[in-house]
Amino acid sequence: MKKDILIFLWVILLCIPGKIYSQTYQLSGNPVNTTGWDLVSDATISGDFIRLTADQTGRYGAIKLATPITLSYCDKWKVEFDFRIDGNGTTQFGRGDGFTFWYLANPPTGFVSGGGLGIPANASGLMVGFDIFNNTTEGQMSKVHLLYGTNNTAGNNIEYNTTPGSTFHSPDLNPTQPFVGDTYKHVEVNGETDLTNPSNWIIKIRIDGVLIVDQSFAPSGGATGMAQGYFGFSAATGGASARHSIKNAKVFVDKVPILSNTITPFVCTNPATGNGVVDLTSYNSQFVNNPGNYIFTYYILGSSTPISNPTSFQYSGNTTIKVVIKDPTSTLCDNGDGIIQLDPTPFAADDASLTGCNNNNAGTATFDLTSAAVTTVPGVTKEFYPTLYDLNAGTNLITNPTAYASGAATIYVKVTTPQGCVSTSKITLNIHPVVVVNDAEIRSCFIEGNSSNASFNLTTAIVTTQNGTTKKYYPSLADSLNETNEITNPNPYIAPNGVVYVRVSNSNDCYSIAKVTLTVIPPTFSDILKDKIICMEDKTTLDAGPGFKSYEWSTGATTQSIKNAGVGTYWVKLKTGDCIATQTVTIYASENPVVSSIDISGSTVTIYANGGTPPYKYSMDNILWQDSNIFSNVPRGEAKVYVKDDYNCAPVEINITVPNLINVITPNNDGINDVVDYSALAGKRNLEISIFDRYGYKIFQADQSNGYKWDGTVHGSKRVPTGNYWYSVIWNENNRTGTPVKFSGWIMVKNRD
């Protein structure tokens, strides 16, 4: 019975749908959920507990599973529950009698007298009684009785059953653990196979954590070989009375879940011997996921002796193999429901066909010969040959069957099953129609600002006219063959002149590759539209020339040319075909010449100019113009100088001063020509006045302190000798450019000694 108990626990959990690894069947809730259980006689639901008997004499009650449980392959099991025995009792006998947890082949269905704790006469199975009435002394007690056998003693009372090795009776626990009281007591019952005697169970019972029993029990009587039974609880009162209650009953079961109960693999017998050999372990993965986590034991149906060589099991006719699956990490039940049904049948491989792609019109396709459906038998070996002659002779074995390159052909295969059965068949190799493609060209206008590139829409390339194809784009032929570096955004595709490749695939996943030439249409500009230089005040005409499809100027004009264009930058959009090129043209203002300096020597004025565009023309009245930059006999006083360059634009105008200085002084204090007076130039910028002797030695510096006057002395006191002296006057005119002017000449000093 030992393993039957665990199987029972597993079946209890079958009430919970689905295949799970850990299951419990319980009595819990408020009110208690009794689905799957039968209430017998007085047993009733009372809130969160089951009341087995009322506090009255002559009462009986039980609760049991509604269906019998078959226990075959349990190594360990565990049951937990809480019980309470309370009530008023009777004057003569006190409280009685007690209750029992059991797994019985013949459970109670009606009234059972009190002394039997609710267990029928001759009931067989496992019974654990919690007895509060001593039938010998008729006194109160708290004892645990255990019987692993048949309840066939006097009065049907397991208290009196002392079958050796199958029973246990605890001492009276009343002093330390009285069973009668208002509070619930917690019970744990654990069963485990006794490895020293596998037909026995080691039973451990704890009450409120205190170990009461821990020993091995042998089945006896009707419990020996017991195949199925019912799990339940019962209680009875005799002449005494008590209320017996249980709650929080839990049965813990862990039976290995299996994917399939019965496996019927293809097997055959070797015609030469009439026998076959099979590896039973090769089917483990069909029973469970991760078979390495489990222990498998195999039996010929009807035999209790395990098959010693499951990896090489020999058979000749129909044979049924029973498989027991154990989880070594589990604390509960194994699964013994697996069946391998061996029904030998003749083996014949099937003819098959494969169809491959003549990719890119290479002339051959690459076939995986091993994928040909020549048999559904697992574990076969296959040898492939190009001809039937080669197969029979064992020559020219195809060594690369997973990547065999061939045109349309017939290949032959020799198939050998794990049992050594051999059959041959042929594989017809077919070729899918090729994907027809054409090379193409895409022309696209240049990108402004990067005229070597264009924006292409690769999807517009007409590389095939076949329907149902898909296209992928690649930058090189190698990429298209290897399907690397795919152009994932074919529109727009920015590129210079070059090529891309299109892999065109059909619904059979066959492909061909087409080349697409990319041509950047360069910009077309006007050859006659050039930058110009004009006078700032002038206007001109800009002409882009004929031959363009359309014109669009920055002024808004749409004509070939625009008139009255002044200094500035203009653009025109010139359309040629579908491309538009923007050409920029600038009208520059002519650079005006600059009067760099003026040299005045007496009445001669010399003008120096630079900048602009030579040659220059010069004038002092803006009417008469001369090529020479020298003007003679210029009157003293204020004058104007005009200069213009070769563009004949508005002239540059400079105001100058020709000083009115005398050439002879007689510094004798007579009031006539006593000094040289430069004060008329005092308003000039950066004015410098120097007097030099004939040796070039500066003898006088005119400035504001001396009123820009010289009286013919040195250091303001010593008269200079009569003679000629040179003067140099430098200043900047008060104009925008600050034109430098140099005025030089000689002066005669006459001193009378």
Side-chain angles (χ1 to χ4, degrees), residues 159-230:
E159 178 184 358
Y160 300 137
N161 194 314
T162 58
T163 303
S166 301
T167 59
F168 167 82
H169 303 283
S170 76
D172 188 358
L173 303 176
N174 215 41
T176 57
Q177 288 186 298
F179 294 166
V180 176
D182 294 332
T183 60
Y184 282 91
K185 306 188 76 64
H186 182 69
V187 178
E188 294 181 14
V189 182
N190 287 273
E192 181 177 352
T193 300
D194 187 346
L195 298 180
T196 62
N197 191 346
S199 63
N200 289 13
W201 279 108
I202 296 175
I203 304 295
K204 297 179 182 180
I205 300 175
R206 286 180 173 85
I207 301 176
D208 288 338
V210 178
L211 185 65
I212 305 302
V213 60
D214 180 2
Q215 67 184 59
S216 179
F217 293 89
S220 62
T224 303
M226 179 178 167
Q228 69 177 20
Y230 295 82

Side-chain angles (χ1 to χ4, degrees), residues 218-261:
S220 62
T224 303
M226 179 178 167
Q228 69 177 20
Y230 295 82
F231 172 81
F233 300 87
S234 65
T237 64
S241 69
R243 180 174 65 164
H244 300 81
S245 306
I246 63 167
K247 70 176 182 177
N248 297 328
K250 297 179 182 178
V251 177
F252 296 89
V253 176
D254 186 359
K255 183 177 181 179
V256 176
I258 59 176
L259 305 174
S260 178
N261 291 90

Side-chain angles (χ1 to χ4, degrees), residues 303-316:
S303 172
S304 60
T305 303
I307 295 173
S308 60
N309 59 339
T311 59
S312 183
F313 176 71
Q314 181 173 304
Y315 60 92
S316 58

Side-chain angles (χ1 to χ4, degrees), residues 21-313:
Y21 285 91
S22 182
Q23 307 176 56
T24 61
Y25 190 88
Q26 57 188 333
L27 290 169
S28 62
N30 189 359
V32 178
N33 183 356
T34 59
T35 302
W37 298 78
D38 290 334
L39 296 172
V40 180
S41 295
D42 289 353
T44 184
I45 299 172
S46 180
D48 65 346
F49 64 91
I50 301 295
R51 191 196 69 190
L52 297 175
T53 68
D55 184 16
Q56 299 173 7
T57 61
R59 310 312 299 171
Y60 166 78
I63 184 169
K64 69 178 184 65
L65 284 176
T67 55
I69 304 303
T70 299
L71 306 177
S72 300
Y73 297 100
C74 288
D75 293 326
K76 295 182 181 181
W77 52 270
K78 178 181 179 181
V79 176
E80 293 184 24
F81 57 88
D82 298 330
F83 77 85
R84 180 181 65 188
I85 303 175
D86 60 359
N88 297 315
T90 63
T91 302
Q92 181 179 0
F93 299 110
R95 298 179 183 87
D97 271 306
F99 83 101
T100 310
F101 148 66
W102 38 254
Y103 175 73
L104 299 177
N106 47 344
T109 58
F111 178 82
V112 177
S113 63
L117 303 180
I119 305 172
N122 298 313
S124 294
L126 176 68
M127 293 150 271
V128 180
F130 298 83
D131 196 351
I132 64 171
F133 187 80
N134 191 321
N135 288 284
T136 301
T137 65
E138 297 184 352
Q140 197 80 52
M141 68 177 186
S142 295
K143 285 188 177 183
V144 176
H145 308 300
L146 188 149
L147 170 61
Y148 191 8
T150 300
N151 183 27
N152 56 6
T153 57
N156 305 321
N157 193 330
I158 64 173
E159 178 184 358
Y160 300 137
N161 194 314
T162 58
T163 303
S166 301
T167 59
F168 167 82
H169 303 283
S170 76
D172 188 358
L173 303 176
N174 215 41
T176 57
Q177 288 186 298
F179 294 166
V180 176
D182 294 332
T183 60
Y184 282 91
K185 306 188 76 64
H186 182 69
V187 178
E188 294 181 14
V189 182
N190 287 273
E192 181 177 352
T193 300
D194 187 346
L195 298 180
T196 62
N197 191 346
S199 63
N200 289 13
W201 279 108
I202 296 175
I203 304 295
K204 297 179 182 180
I205 300 175
R206 286 180 173 85
I207 301 176
D208 288 338
V210 178
L211 185 65
I212 305 302
V213 60
D214 180 2
Q215 67 184 59
S216 179
F217 293 89
S220 62
T224 303
M226 179 178 167
Q228 69 177 20
Y230 295 82
F231 172 81
F233 300 87
S234 65
T237 64
S241 69
R243 180 174 65 164
H244 300 81
S245 306
I246 63 167
K247 70 176 182 177
N248 297 328
K250 297 179 182 178
V251 177
F252 296 89
V253 176
D254 186 359
K255 183 177 181 179
V256 176
I258 59 176
L259 305 174
S260 178
N261 291 90
T262 301
I263 297 170
T264 307
F266 173 86
V267 291
C268 61
T269 54
N270 192 321
T273 64
N275 296 323
V277 177
V278 66
D279 180 1
L280 298 176
T281 67
S282 66
Y283 307 116
N284 291 352
S285 60
Q286 298 184 50
F287 287 111
V288 293
N289 293 318
N290 303 314
N293 295 336
Y294 302 92
I295 296 174
F296 291 79
T297 308
Y298 310 87
Y299 303 84
I300 297 175
L301 188 65
S303 172
S304 60
T305 303
I307 295 173
S308 60
N309 59 339
T311 59
S312 183
F313 176 71

